[in-house]
Amino acid sequence: MNVLVYLIPLALALGVTWLFLFLWSLRAGQYEDMEGAAWRILSDEDVTR
Amino acid sequence: MQRSKSMADALDLSCFVRRSADGAASMDFALEGVDCAACIDDIEGGLKPEPGVVSARLNVASRRLSVAWRPEVTGAEKIAARLAALGYRAHPFDLHRLEAEDVAQTKWLIRCLAVASFSMMNVMLLSVSVWSGAVTDIMPETRDFFHWLSALLVMPAAAYAGQPFFRSALAGLRARKLNMDVPISLGVCLAIGMSLYETLHSAEHAYFDSAIMLLVFLLLGRTLDQMMRVKMRAAAANIAALKGDFANRVEANGDVRIVPVAALACGDTVLVRPGDRVPADAEIVAGASDVDESVITGETLRRPAAQGDRVWAGSLNGAGALTLRVTAAGAATLIDEVKRLVEQASEAKSRYRRLADRAAAIYSPMVHLAALLTIAGWLLVGASVHFALITAISVLIITCPCALALAVPAVQIVATGSLFRSGVYLNASDAIERIAEINHVVFDKTGTLTLPQPQVANLGEVDADLRAIAGRLALSSRHPLAATLACALGAQHPMDDAREIAGAGVEATVDGQTARLGAASFCGVADARESAADVSLIFMRVGARTATFEVRQALREDARAVVDALRARGVTVSILSGDRPEAVAPVALALGVADWRGGVKPDEKIAAIAALAAAGRKTLMIGDGLNDAPALAGAHASMSPIDAVDIARAKADALFLGERLQPVLIAFDVSRKARALMRQNLWLAVVYNAFAVPLAVAGYVTPLIAAAAMSGSSILVTLNALRARAPSPVAAPDDGESLVLRAAVRPVPGAAS
């Protein structure tokens, strides 16, 4: 079962990464306007011609 | 607001502008009319090319726009004008400190929840392996390794995510009260401590998963509760911004500038035109008029006011222009007497103890006693100290009030959401419990049973051609009664040559004939009609023809139905009004309410409610005026229409939207149902403990059983709480939006009409 010694920490490290990504997105205000995000995807404003 | 250009130039919004360190200025607006994806492009795309605009960001969920600009290039007034040109009504918006704190608190709870859930998911992965290994064969080394990993995951996570509970528990203990957070904190800490001890000694069982799971369930409940409250606060704040009134301030050099009422200070001089609302408590410096103080006192009869008199914020100015000196502005706007009464009444009410707290006060000592008895019992029958301690702690873990602590908030969240959709916003967090207990309703009359705006009662009796002329004449007048008439007749175009004669009426020439609208003597009409006390008459004459319009406070259309429905539910109804008895009588008669009083002063309202309380009645006070504020604060529960005066809105436990009284009934029904479910949930929790505690005392609770029992009971009470959803209420609005718009807007003084 030696494989556990590095696989489990690896899994935990991945988990911690996602946790920090979530906390970062929360801090960046990405959840403040859930409706607007859905509408903005239809916007062509960022398309440069 | 759609102001004419010259008005926009004189508008002064500086009190809403924030300066950042790099010299940019920024400001928030609450917007009306945001309802499609294209609006984002319209607004942001329309503002960004403006010279000096640094950024513009629309938050669709909250209908708010945040704009930043270089103050040397442009200004708030230009941006507001640009938004108006784009076709959106923009209302300056001041993010209240309270709301900002709420948002910060929500973010903190979400962070705690994220950390705790991350830890729980990973610990469960390890725990399930250990549990399944227990029935097959797991090597002790592997089990210890898993336990140590669990300890590593749970201890920092619990230290961080448990803070909301630890803090509240400490605060409770300092106040010498046992709240629900005390057993929660104790259970979590003991579970972790014991598990650590067991892990150090390579024992078979560790309860890390139970501790963190408990935190996740409870945090979930608290976070959802908080988010619902923030959403409701934001919606209410938007409405307040949409209603935000403006005042005509006279500057030192004699110029008149339009400023938001929030920007007024003591000592400012303000011009109030006929038909405008008085923006702040003030003293009349010049001019004479009659003021409608129904918002303040409930009295619908106008009071003459002249130089030297005091007028109160919210009063409606009548026929004359007034120049006022502000004596109190913003939060200070309140008659001293009312303020004192409100404070007294609020103090009395804070003694209400919530259902959950009452349950905790019984539950916590019982649980701790059970744990102590477990130790004593096992020691008496000769078990080892270690076994006795472990068993006692497992009793604390299994009784850790997961289900109990969720029982009330879960119902609260569902019921609050359901009320929000029906147009009822809760102010107080325990409003549901208190509204559910009431068995008597006291209505205010003016603005509560009746609509805030008076209605024309006899439109059908007047010929159509006279009606059309009357509408156009009325539109030319600034008198409040004329405004009502113009609105009722749907008039669009004022008369070109109309002249307003102050204190008499308006006059114009129609088809070569003189048309007059106004007082009886002005129109040469003999006031033969026997006028009822609550009716104001407008007369008109065109040539030889005459007509009379009756303007009266109209009942809300479903007032009778709601009163009857309340009676059918065993709730008694009475009316306490500040208006004259002869004006209250017809309303009471129309509603079939025998128990009514008119001419009641604020302190008498409180006394009446105290008398009801002494007689064992739990009263729901519904009112909207300044004179109702003490009664709203003092009653067992209270509600206000959303367009009530500020102080009433602040003191009411719940606010309702729209022109109907139906939300009152919905609030009552949903609250009753919610309270029944809360009780049911508490009993479910008790039943759960009745099974779980004997098992724990006997020493049979392994971590697997603890996890299953705790999550099972939590899910059970949560599912039960979902039943608090109201069956889609009859005739209730689907969405707050349309109502918000209807309820919101009162014209800006000086707005081009």
Side-chain angles (χ1 to χ4, degrees):
Chain A
M1 296 296 263
N2 288 337
V3 68
L4 290 178
V5 174
Y6 60 88
L7 269 187
I8 287 186
L10 193 66
L12 288 181
L14 276 175
V16 170
T17 313
W18 300 131
L19 177 65
F20 275 96
L21 280 178
F22 173 76
L23 292 179
W24 167 79
S25 63
L26 183 70
R27 184 181 297 260
Q30 295 192 12
Y31 299 94
E32 271 162 26
D33 184 13
M34 306 287 269
E35 280 178 54
W39 287 358
R40 271 169 210 281
I41 201 167
L42 299 172
S43 159
D44 292 334
E45 202 191 48
D46 48 350
V47 179
T48 46
R49 279 168 227 185
Chain B
M1 299 261 130
Q2 288 155 355
R3 283 175 211 91
S4 65
K5 199 147 188 84
S6 64
M7 292 292 185
D9 290 340
L11 184 68
D12 185 354
L13 295 174
S14 53
C15 72
F16 290 104
V17 177
R18 294 185 305 267
R19 295 297 166 101
S20 63
D22 60 346
S26 63
M27 185 175 153
D28 291 328
F29 293 93
L31 286 187
E32 279 181 68
V34 178
D35 46 15
C36 65
C39 296
I40 301 180
D41 281 351
D42 278 359
I43 295 169
E44 294 183 359
L47 279 179
K48 277 176 188 160
E50 288 286 293
V53 173
V54 179
S55 70
R57 178 90 186 171
L58 177 71
N59 185 325
V60 182
S62 63
R63 308 284 194 266
R64 286 178 192 164
L65 173 73
S66 179
V67 191
W69 66 88
R70 316 282 337 162
E72 59 276 13
V73 185
T74 184
E77 296 76 25
K78 281 191 190 157
I79 289 169
R82 176 73 190 138
L83 279 169
L86 287 170
Y88 295 91
R89 291 182 165 203
H91 307 271
F93 184 81
D94 190 16
L95 193 66
H96 289 288
R97 199 175 45 81
L98 213 62
E99 205 187 324
E101 271 172 21
D102 264 350
V103 171
Q105 173 85 5
T106 315
K107 279 200 169 181
W108 181 51
L109 280 175
I110 294 178
R111 280 202 303 275
C112 288
L113 182 62
V115 169
S117 328
F118 158 77
S119 167
M120 181 187 79
M121 285 188 276
N122 286 285
V123 167
M124 276 300 160
L125 199 75
L126 300 169
S127 291
V128 170
S129 318
V130 172
W131 297 336
S132 57
V135 285
T136 57
D137 48 344
I138 190 168
M139 280 186 294
E141 296 78 17
T142 314
R143 194 181 59 215
D144 283 355
F145 175 58
F146 281 8
H147 279 169
W148 277 115
L149 273 175
S150 302
L152 197 70
L153 279 166
V154 166
M155 284 196 299
Y160 181 79
Q163 284 177 67
F165 305 99
F166 302 155
R167 282 186 196 174
S168 152
L170 275 181
L173 285 179
R174 273 201 209 106
R176 300 183 181 284
K177 269 185 201 150
L178 277 178
N179 58 20
M180 206 56 103
D181 290 327
V182 174
I184 292 171
S185 304
L186 202 66
V188 169
C189 291
L190 281 176
I192 292 176
M194 176 184 85
S195 306
L196 192 64
Y197 178 84
E198 294 289 280
T199 307
L200 276 168
H201 292 82
S202 304
E204 201 180 332
H205 295 313
Y207 294 84
F208 290 116
D209 49 76
S210 300
I212 199 73
M213 185 166 73
L214 188 73
L215 286 181
V216 169
F217 273 122
L218 296 176
L219 278 171
L220 203 61
R222 249 168 236 208
T223 311
L224 288 176
D225 194 23
Q226 177 79 12
M227 281 164 79
M228 179 55 80
R229 207 161 343 150
V230 167
K231 191 174 157 190
M232 200 133 51
R233 279 248 173 89
N238 272 8
I239 292 173
L242 299 194
K243 279 170 54 101
D245 284 342
F246 290 79
N248 301 304
R249 188 171 68 191
V250 184
E251 305 292 307
N253 60 6
D255 285 354
V256 176
R257 288 173 78 81
I258 301 175
V259 296
V261 167
L264 286 181
C266 245
D268 280 353
T269 306
V270 177
L271 191 67
V272 180
R273 302 206 168 100
D276 284 354
R277 282 200 187 266
V278 175
D281 291 0
E283 200 182 280
I284 300 178
V285 184
S289 179
D290 49 337
V291 289
D292 174 357
E293 293 187 327
S294 63
V295 170
I296 317 295
T297 57
E299 169 70 64
T300 45
L301 203 64
R302 287 155 190 282
R303 176 175 75 94
Q307 193 171 349
D309 287 349
R310 290 193 76 181
V311 286
W312 314 113
S315 325
L316 193 64
N317 186 21
L322 295 173
T323 307
L324 310 174
R325 190 171 52 244
V326 178
T327 51
T333 306
L334 188 56
I335 305 172
D336 301 338
E337 169 70 3
V338 171
K339 196 174 201 165
R340 193 178 54 76
L341 289 171
V342 164
E343 268 162 24
Q344 274 176 6
S346 311
E347 216 164 278
K349 192 152 78 176
S350 66
R351 290 189 211 115
Y352 181 79
R353 290 183 68 223
R354 306 185 56 169
L355 196 58
D357 290 339
R358 274 179 280 164
I362 306 169
Y363 188 77
S364 311
M366 269 177 63
V367 168
H368 298 152
L369 191 68
L372 277 179
L373 287 178
T374 311
I375 298 185
W378 280 109
L379 287 178
L380 274 181
V381 299
S384 69
V385 177
H386 176 246
F387 179 80
L389 269 178
I390 293 273
T391 316
I393 292 175
S394 74
V395 169
L396 282 183
I397 295 174
I398 200 107
T399 56
C400 202
C402 200
L404 205 57
L406 272 178
V408 173
V411 178
Q412 183 126 341
I413 294 163
V414 179
T416 309
S418 168
L419 286 176
F420 183 67
R421 282 187 297 278
S422 311
V424 179
Y425 295 180
L426 300 182
N427 253 352
S429 54
D430 53 356
I432 290 182
E433 289 176 34
R434 281 189 279 114
I435 292 177
E437 285 177 355
I438 59 118
N439 49 21
H440 185 89
V441 177
V442 174
F443 283 104
D444 170 46
K445 179 185 78 81
T446 319
T448 305
L449 284 172
T450 62
L451 287 166
Q453 282 79 34
Q455 310 287 320
V456 181
N458 65 334
L459 276 185
E461 298 170 15
V462 180
D463 296 335
D465 57 330
L466 285 182
R467 281 214 302 267
I469 296 170
R472 297 184 61 192
L473 276 172
L475 205 52
S476 314
S477 167
R478 295 207 58 128
H479 194 278
L481 279 179
T484 303
L485 185 60
C487 184
L489 293 169
Q492 301 283 339
H493 311 287
M495 295 275 181
D496 296 328
D497 61 341
R499 286 188 309 125
E500 180 150 21
I501 294 116
V506 271
E507 187 182 59
T509 312
V510 181
D511 301 335
Q513 288 180 314
T514 303
R516 284 180 161 187
L517 181 81
S521 54
F522 177 64
C523 299
V525 180
D527 185 2
R529 198 176 290 226
E530 184 74 20
S531 80
D534 59 336
V535 177
S536 308
L537 299 178
I538 306 177
F539 299 91
M540 80 174 293
R541 168 183 289 276
V542 180
R545 301 168 69 195
T546 61
T548 310
F549 295 96
E550 292 178 12
V551 178
R552 66 164 77 218
Q553 300 280 325
L555 280 179
R556 289 183 191 254
E557 83 183 89
D558 60 345
R560 174 80 205 219
V562 167
V563 167
D564 287 345
L566 282 171
R567 283 214 198 90
R569 284 160 176 74
V571 177
T572 45
V573 176
S574 63
I575 299 174
L576 282 180
S577 174
D579 204 355
R580 293 150 296 148
E582 41 299 11
V584 186
V587 170
L589 190 68
L591 295 175
V593 176
D595 181 9
W596 62 270
R597 280 168 64 192
V600 189
K601 295 197 173 59
D603 54 332
E604 290 168 353
K605 283 201 181 191
I606 286 219
I609 280 171
L612 282 166
R617 313 300 291 168
K618 294 197 162 153
T619 307
L620 170 64
M621 172 77 204
I622 305 177
D624 73 321
L626 188 60
N627 62 330
D628 298 315
L632 289 170
H636 189 68
S638 52
M639 290 181 79
S640 277
I642 197 88
D643 39 18
V645 297
D646 288 348
I647 182 71
R649 278 215 311 264
K651 286 298 159 195
D653 295 319
L655 304 172
F656 62 94
L657 287 175
E659 296 202 332
R660 300 164 62 89
L661 273 180
Q662 175 84 1
V664 173
L665 201 59
I666 295 174
F668 179 65
D669 286 347
V670 170
S671 299
R672 280 235 159 148
K673 196 166 155 199
R675 190 182 150 81
L677 282 170
M678 283 175 189
R679 286 170 163 259
Q680 215 173 63
N681 267 353
L682 287 175
W683 279 111
L684 277 177
V686 168
V687 170
Y688 152 79
N689 278 308
F691 284 101
V693 172
L695 272 181
V697 171
Y700 287 117
V701 169
T702 62
L704 175 60
I705 293 179
M710 277 170 30
S711 51
S713 63
S714 300
I715 290 169
L716 192 66
V717 293
T718 309
L719 286 180
N720 194 39
L722 288 180
R723 301 199 300 138
R725 281 182 82 93
S728 51
V730 198
D734 40 335
D735 174 4
E737 183 71 8
S738 55
L739 271 182
V740 167
L741 294 179
R742 214 179 312 144
V745 194
R746 191 188 285 162
V748 170
S753 45

